Amino acid sequence: MSARTPSPETAEAPHRAGFACFVGRPNAGKSTLTNALVGQKVAITSNRPQTTRHTVRGIVHRPEAQLILVDTPGLHKPRTLLGERLNDIVRTTWAEVDVIGFCLPADEKLGPGDRFIVKELAAIKKTPKIAVVTKTDLVDSKTLAEQLIAIDQIGRELGLEWAEIIPVSAVADQQVGLLADLLVPLLPESPPLYPEGDLTDEPEQVMVAELIREAALEGVRDELPHSIAVVVEEMLPREDRPADRPLLDIHANVYIERPSQKGIIIGPKGKRLKEVGTKSRKHIEALLGTPVFLDLHVKVAKDWQRDPKQLRKLGF
């Protein structure tokens, strides 16, 4: 099966619409690929594993189809209650989508984590699976060829037949359009499921929280990879503003697990928190299309990743 270009005879081909999800080990390039396909930042990206915690949907509109992308957390061997919940989200998602894209970075050899996922995927019989080799801009053609062969072999070995194997680079914008061409024919015939122009069905508040969290993670490198959660308490238009100069007030709390982490997030004289605010505000304004006043506070929620009550409160 290959990408089809509609000829005049097939111009009346039925419209297709459905759900695709990208799976893979943490940091396999799933969020970056979602953003590249949708053409706008809808999923949080970070070079730290385990940054995606919500199922973010990106929507790709085409004249002949609507492709709804579900971005899941990376599947991994769980060590905390949060980890177990994330894995449950992944499995539930797989059972509900029309096509699964398994993302494998071109610059990393296949490992036990990939075998674990391929085994799980092989057990889902009806859903077609595409192997997506990501980050191809980081390797030479020989390494890429070896990776493609390895992926074909692991599928045969574990009883998984790939519908397609495709190399892409979201960063260099190589073959991203072709990937969409290959996903579309695997979707069911259906009218559009979302209005034209919608790019995601995530509530704006959740997306704003993710953008703040992404900025907060960036400053603290490897110190607090999983310890940060963000909750947007309120988003309200500022009253008494002229119509041509609106301002949106956003109040958000950044939660960490221990008092000792507070200083890391706030930084000397509040410098780091200020940078987080400035950086995330730019992204939020681009997302919402309106000037924003962002009020950030850092709070401690002790060991929230292991506490069911706290997890619920923080939206997991």
Side-chain angles (χ1 to χ4, degrees):
M1 191 199 71
S2 64
R4 296 173 308 162
T5 43
S7 61
E9 302 89 87
T10 58
E12 290 307 303
H15 189 279
R16 293 178 181 273
F19 294 84
C21 82
F22 293 132
V23 302
R25 281 181 298 146
N27 205 22
K30 302 180 293 292
S31 296
T32 310
L33 194 53
T34 298
N35 292 336
L37 279 160
V38 176
Q40 183 171 332
K41 195 182 181 85
V42 291
I44 161 176
T45 55
S46 160
N47 56 4
R48 230 160 275 87
Q50 268 332 98
T51 46
T52 308
R53 292 198 182 132
H54 293 277
T55 305
V56 177
R57 290 175 174 80
I59 304 165
V60 182
H61 299 272
R62 291 185 153 204
E64 80 288 6
Q66 192 177 70
L67 173 65
I68 299 129
L69 301 167
V70 188
D71 187 37
T72 58
L75 194 76
H76 60 297
K77 289 216 161 76
R79 286 193 295 275
T80 62
L81 182 61
L82 173 64
E84 281 169 36
R85 292 229 177 136
L86 293 176
N87 277 359
D88 289 344
I89 293 172
V90 177
R91 291 197 185 90
T92 312
T93 305
W94 292 2
E96 292 169 355
V97 297
D98 302 299
V99 54
I100 297 170
F102 180 28
C103 295
L104 301 114
D107 62 334
E108 289 176 33
K109 284 207 166 10
L110 300 188
D114 297 308
R115 291 185 73 85
F116 172 67
I117 295 173
V118 172
K119 255 189 204 145
E120 295 255 340
L121 286 176
I124 302 168
K125 293 293 177 214
K126 287 188 182 134
T127 317
K129 294 119 194 140
I130 286 183
V132 186
V133 183
T134 58
K135 309 185 184 184
T136 56
D137 53 299
L138 301 180
V139 298
D140 57 29
S141 53
K142 181 174 172 284
T143 310
L144 179 57
E146 284 165 3
Q147 187 74 320
L148 294 172
I149 292 164
I151 289 165
D152 183 48
Q153 278 172 345
I154 199 172
R156 287 171 203 268
E157 203 183 306
L158 299 173
L160 171 57
E161 192 183 333
W162 302 112
E164 300 279 352
I165 300 175
I166 176 171
V168 302
S169 166
V171 174
D173 194 21
Q174 288 163 348
Q175 306 231 91
V176 174
L178 178 62
L179 173 61
D181 293 341
L182 297 176
L183 291 167
V184 164
L186 301 173
L187 303 177
E189 292 180 15
S190 157
L193 302 171
Y194 288 90
E196 181 70 51
D198 279 16
L199 294 177
T200 176
D201 75 347
E202 275 282 15
E204 286 180 340
Q205 231 155 300
V206 174
M207 291 181 71
V208 166
E210 288 286 82
L211 289 171
I212 295 168
R213 191 162 158 267
E214 180 177 23
L217 276 170
E218 221 156 274
V220 295
R221 294 291 162 244
D222 308 319
E223 297 166 276
L224 315 172
H226 312 318
S227 304
I228 299 172
V230 175
V231 176
V232 173
E233 298 296 338
E234 60 175 24
M235 284 170 51
L236 294 169
R238 175 86 54 97
E239 288 177 14
D240 311 327
R241 295 283 291 199
D244 59 340
R245 287 186 49 236
L247 184 68
L248 188 67
D249 284 318
I250 298 178
H251 299 277
N253 290 326
V254 179
Y255 287 96
I256 47 187
E257 294 194 293
R258 290 187 294 284
S260 60
Q261 297 170 338
K262 219 169 173 173
I264 298 174
I265 288 283
I266 293 170
K269 297 187 176 168
K271 187 168 169 256
R272 188 171 274 160
L273 188 63
K274 205 169 169 182
E275 282 167 8
V276 171
T278 307
K279 188 153 200 165
S280 54
R281 197 185 73 238
K282 278 187 192 140
H283 287 308
I284 294 164
E285 290 180 338
L287 173 76
L288 302 178
T290 179
V292 161
F293 170 80
L294 183 58
D295 177 38
L296 288 182
H297 292 272
V298 180
K299 297 194 169 184
V300 178
K302 201 163 162 21
D303 291 329
W304 63 264
Q305 293 192 65
R306 289 179 167 72
D307 177 349
K309 215 157 82 195
Q310 302 248 40
L311 279 173
R312 269 199 304 279
K313 185 184 150 197
L314 297 174
F316 300 111

